[in-house]
Amino acid sequence: MTLRPTDRPWTVPSAARSDDDRRESGGGSADGSVRETVGDGSGFGSGGGADADEVTESTASPVPGGDRFVAAVAVDGEVLFAGPSVPAVLGVDRATLVGDDLLDRVHPNDREPLSDALSAVATDRVVTHRLRHANGGFVWVESVVDEELAPEFGGRVVTARRVDADRTFPERFRQFLEYGTDLVTVVDADGRVRYESPSVEEVLGYEQGSTVGRSPLGYVHPDDRDRVTERFYRALNDPDASPTMEYRYRTADGDWVWLESRSRSLPADASVGHLLINSRDVSERKARERRLTDRNERLDRFASIVSHDLRNPLSVIRGSMEMARLKEDTEPLERGERAVDRIDQLVSELLTLARQGSGIDEPTEFALDAVAREAWETAGSADARLVVGADAAVRGDRGRLRQAFENLFRNATEHAAPDGGADDRCGADDTLSTDGGADAALTVVVTATAEGFLVADDGPGIDPAHHEDAFEPGFTTCEDGTGYGLDIVREVVESHGWTIGLRGDGAEPVSPDDVTVPDGACFVVRGPDPDAAETGEPWIDG
């Protein structure tokens, strides 16, 4: 049942009222007849067998007619009699209401509890619900359904009184419920929703009242449900408990949002429900926390690597300097310079890992050919050449993709075989665009594929035994390598939502006919095309 904040009920079920009270409130008399005293002197029902529309005098105090009406309603909802105050409350003629189904005029979300009261299924005879007004809107009423049937009509006497929010609740509090961003939910002792504030539409996308009568636990994410269920029932059973919980909750469109909820038991005599729950959407905060955690993990890894991996090169530098001083020989200083260069590269790559995070900047559209050539200008080798095959349109973070190419190019040149022999193995067509001399010791090929692009070289390749470790941070087979170049590449690719793998590990490329993929290391990147990607997300259109 959907509840609205109201003042204390103005009447009670007929079984608990005296004869005088029943007459005063417009209910049935002690002998089962029905009376209503109105300003125009008309009434219905009398114990003497008079016609239902005959005027019946009463010595009881008059009943206000501007905010309530009396009707006789069959158990199936058919209106058998409508009092003269109906037009003042609903704006419709009383004769129009007679013969209609009262439940059709009740708001769909409030229909079930009133139907249960009419058919005696429910023990609660006081129902707060909405009735459709002649102007198309709804008015809130509190209906008291007599337990006994009225003999004259074969239906139950229903006394409805308007309880509009602005009449029973201070305006500032009503606006707080209607316009507040926090979600207010009231559940009964069985853990089922009895009321939810209008903000449920903004926070979760559900129509107000659509979850009334259901347990909120059914909407909690399966991974959080056990934890939330335990705290939820502890709050139901322990009046002093007021737990605060963070959990994922299903929205109307099937997505998940993070809610922070705090529950509090209501007084034992509260008529609105048993437990009050205040909830707010904290999805953005949880996302920030995840980003912060990710960043802290990267910084911790960076600090750990620096503290361990930089000690050996620094020891070499110190030893070289001491040897140079003792022998007055400058040759050891060259070893120190190489160690300094390695430290500089190591620090640069570690800082990249620590700062880049798992997201990307605003994606833009650019050509694969252009970003590959830009990367070659800074990371290419004079002893190698770049061959660019088929081009592709890419939507992504141009700066970070260039960074990935730079690391792939460095990886190729660092592991290249000294004797080269690239031209024979590559078999590149003369019409392909190249950067570098024809007698280069190494050839690197970049080309679009049917599912993305690849970067391959005609070097010695990667031992299949090392394929699983190739992208692990710190792994290298090169004495002077840092082991973080391919880790950076993996981070960049996965931050776009793409995948990267090595040829031979199920990542077989489908390359264009105008380029031959070399036999060395081959890195295959796959991403969705524009039609498969969500709006604004990264894609690769070859």
Side-chain angles (χ1 to χ4, degrees):
M1 163 168 49
T2 302
L3 303 181
R4 296 286 286 193
T6 66
D7 52 6
R8 186 174 60 186
W10 67 281
T11 185
V12 295
S14 58
R17 287 181 283 167
S18 66
D19 292 348
D20 290 340
D21 290 337
R22 289 161 62 86
R23 283 192 298 269
E24 183 174 309
S25 62
S29 65
D31 62 359
S33 62
V34 182
R35 302 175 186 270
E36 179 184 45
T37 304
V38 295
D40 60 3
S42 64
F44 68 95
S46 70
D51 184 78
D53 288 330
E54 182 180 339
V55 176
T56 303
E57 297 293 329
S58 173
T59 57
S61 57
V63 178
D67 63 348
R68 66 192 65 184
F69 67 87
V70 175
V73 184
V75 294
D76 62 357
E78 180 184 358
V79 178
L80 307 173
F81 174 85
S85 300
V86 166
V89 179
L90 300 180
V92 297
D93 185 75
R94 57 188 296 199
T96 302
L97 190 61
V98 174
D100 281 356
D101 188 344
L102 181 65
L103 296 176
D104 287 343
R105 294 182 174 271
V106 178
H107 192 283
N109 294 336
D110 309 336
R111 198 168 291 161
E112 184 176 352
L114 183 60
S115 176
D116 290 346
L118 289 172
S119 60
V121 173
T123 57
D124 192 353
R125 319 302 299 178
V126 180
V127 183
T128 305
H129 60 93
R130 285 161 287 187
L131 275 176
R132 188 171 65 251
H133 193 273
N135 61 14
F138 287 89
V139 294
W140 281 94
V141 299
E142 184 180 68
S143 294
V144 180
V145 183
D146 275 8
E147 185 173 3
E148 299 297 332
L149 293 173
E152 292 86 352
F153 302 100
R156 303 186 191 281
V157 176
V158 177
T159 307
R161 179 177 67 102
R162 288 192 64 165
V163 287
D164 295 315
D166 56 357
R167 296 170 56 113
T168 60
F169 206 52
E171 180 67 18
R172 61 181 181 275
F173 297 125
R174 181 181 68 84
Q175 291 181 347
F176 168 77
L177 283 177
E178 291 188 358
Y179 301 109
T181 57
D182 284 3
L183 174 60
V184 179
T185 307
V186 178
V187 299
D188 58 22
D190 295 326
R192 299 186 179 277
V193 176
R194 294 192 67 182
Y195 169 80
E196 56 193 3
S197 60
S199 55
V200 69
E201 298 184 11
E202 178 181 352
V203 177
L204 300 174
Y206 295 106
E207 181 183 356
Q208 185 189 11
S210 61
T211 64
V212 169
R214 302 178 182 178
S215 171
L217 297 175
Y219 299 86
V220 177
H221 193 283
D223 294 343
D224 304 330
R225 191 168 297 157
D226 290 344
R227 171 175 55 87
V228 173
T229 298
E230 186 273 330
R231 296 188 181 184
F232 180 73
Y233 279 104
R234 185 178 66 187
L236 277 177
N237 299 321
D238 184 0
D240 297 327
S242 56
T244 299
M245 301 172 285
E246 290 184 356
Y247 54 95
R248 285 159 291 184
Y249 202 86
R250 189 174 68 248
T251 64
D253 57 10
D255 291 333
W256 299 96
V257 297
W258 278 95
L259 293 183
E260 180 187 71
S261 298
R262 182 178 180 86
S263 60
R264 183 176 183 179
S265 295
L266 294 171
D269 58 349
S271 60
V272 293
H274 187 79
L275 189 68
L276 177 69
I277 304 174
N278 289 282
S279 306
R280 64 179 58 186
D281 185 351
V282 293
S283 299
E284 292 186 5
R285 190 185 75 192
K286 296 296 289 188
R288 289 195 301 270
E289 290 176 356
R290 286 194 298 271
R291 289 194 295 269
L292 181 61
T293 299
D294 178 71
R295 185 177 183 85
N296 287 340
E297 289 177 352
R298 293 178 183 278
L299 291 175
D300 288 342
R301 184 172 62 172
F302 169 72
S304 176
I305 293 171
V306 169
S307 65
H308 291 84
D309 289 14
L310 291 187
R311 287 180 178 175
N312 289 337
L314 290 175
S315 297
V316 171
I317 293 175
R318 283 194 294 266
S320 299
M321 299 303 179
E322 291 176 2
M323 188 176 296
R325 285 195 297 268
L326 291 174
K327 295 185 176 183
E328 297 182 355
D329 184 6
T330 59
E331 182 178 351
L333 295 179
E334 296 178 1
R335 294 180 57 213
E337 290 175 352
R338 288 195 297 270
V340 170
D341 291 340
R342 183 168 185 269
I343 290 175
D344 182 61
Q345 182 183 0
L346 183 63
V347 170
S348 297
E349 293 183 355
L350 291 177
L351 286 174
T352 297
L353 284 172
R355 290 171 177 170
Q356 68 182 2
S358 58
I360 64 173
D361 294 333
E362 288 295 325
T364 58
E365 296 182 22
F366 52 88
L368 180 71
D369 178 297
V371 73
R373 294 186 186 282
E374 290 174 3
W376 186 260
E377 290 178 1
T378 55
S381 170
D383 297 328
R385 68 167 180 165
L386 173 67
V387 176
V388 180
D391 197 6
V394 180
R395 179 176 177 82
D397 189 324
R398 183 183 182 121
R400 294 193 64 184
L401 191 58
R402 173 178 173 174
Q403 184 182 58
F405 275 119
E406 289 173 348
N407 281 276
L408 288 172
F409 295 157
R410 290 193 188 102
N411 181 79
T413 56
E414 287 174 1
H415 294 82
D419 54 354
D423 288 345
D424 292 338
R425 299 174 64 186
C426 179
D429 192 293
D430 292 339
T431 61
L432 296 178
S433 175
T434 63
D435 285 340
D439 57 349
L442 176 74
T443 297
V444 179
V445 174
V446 176
T447 184
T449 66
E451 297 178 318
F453 64 87
L454 63 81
V455 179
D457 63 67
D458 60 356
I462 299 176
D463 190 328
H466 295 153
H467 278 199
E468 292 186 1
D469 303 322
F471 296 99
E472 291 298 318
F475 177 80
T476 181
T477 58
C478 181
E479 182 178 353
D480 295 330
T482 66
Y484 297 102
L486 294 184
D487 186 26
I488 292 174
V489 174
R490 178 184 57 82
E491 293 276 359
V492 171
V493 171
E494 292 183 352
S495 70
H496 283 75
W498 305 339
T499 61
I500 185 170
L502 285 163
R503 178 177 53 190
D505 293 335
E508 301 304 325
V510 181
S511 58
D513 297 333
D514 59 350
V515 62
T516 300
V517 179
D519 297 331
C522 179
F523 298 89
V524 181
V525 176
R526 285 191 171 96
D529 58 33
D531 295 332
E534 295 184 7
T535 303
E537 294 298 313
W539 44 258
I540 308 172
D541 186 9

